[in-house]
Amino acid sequence: MRRNFWRYRVAAGALGLLLVPLVIAAGSRKLKRIKPTDNPPQYVSFSKPLASDAQLQHALDRLTFGPEPGDLD
């Protein structure tokens, strides 16, 4: 009985050693940066950076159930 479990452990370890480099290689690709001018005309307004107050408002809207009075201050 013990010999069979040992074989499975060795097989699982060998499979893990083979898969680790593949996973690392797949995750190491750099993403291509898109220029705002590359966007279609209907999406150009979304590629403009927000002002700091608008960023805070956006974060409060996304991360909470809505800002309470005084949260933005």
Side-chain angles (χ1 to χ4, degrees), residues 29-39 46-49:
R29 284 189 277 159
K30 291 186 178 181
L31 296 177
K32 182 182 173 185
R33 189 107 172 128
I34 299 174
K35 297 177 187 175
T37 56
D38 291 342
N39 287 331
F46 292 109
S47 62
K48 296 178 183 173

Side-chain angles (χ1 to χ4, degrees), residues 34-57:
I34 299 174
K35 297 177 187 175
T37 56
D38 291 342
N39 287 331
Q42 65 265 26
Y43 298 121
V44 171
S45 63
F46 292 109
S47 62
K48 296 178 183 173
L50 294 173
S52 62
D53 290 340
Q55 287 177 354
L56 291 173
Q57 181 69 37

Side-chain angles (χ1 to χ4, degrees), residues 6-16:
W6 182 80
R7 289 180 186 166
Y8 290 129
R9 286 184 193 169
V10 170
L15 182 64

Side-chain angles (χ1 to χ4, degrees), residues 10-26:
V10 170
L15 182 64
L17 288 176
L18 291 175
L19 291 179
V20 168
L22 292 175
V23 171
I24 291 172

Side-chain angles (χ1 to χ4, degrees), residues 48-72:
K48 296 178 183 173
L50 294 173
S52 62
D53 290 340
Q55 287 177 354
L56 291 173
Q57 181 69 37
H58 181 71
L60 285 173
D61 287 339
R62 295 282 303 236
L63 300 174
T64 64
F65 291 109
E68 295 179 3
D71 279 350
L72 196 57

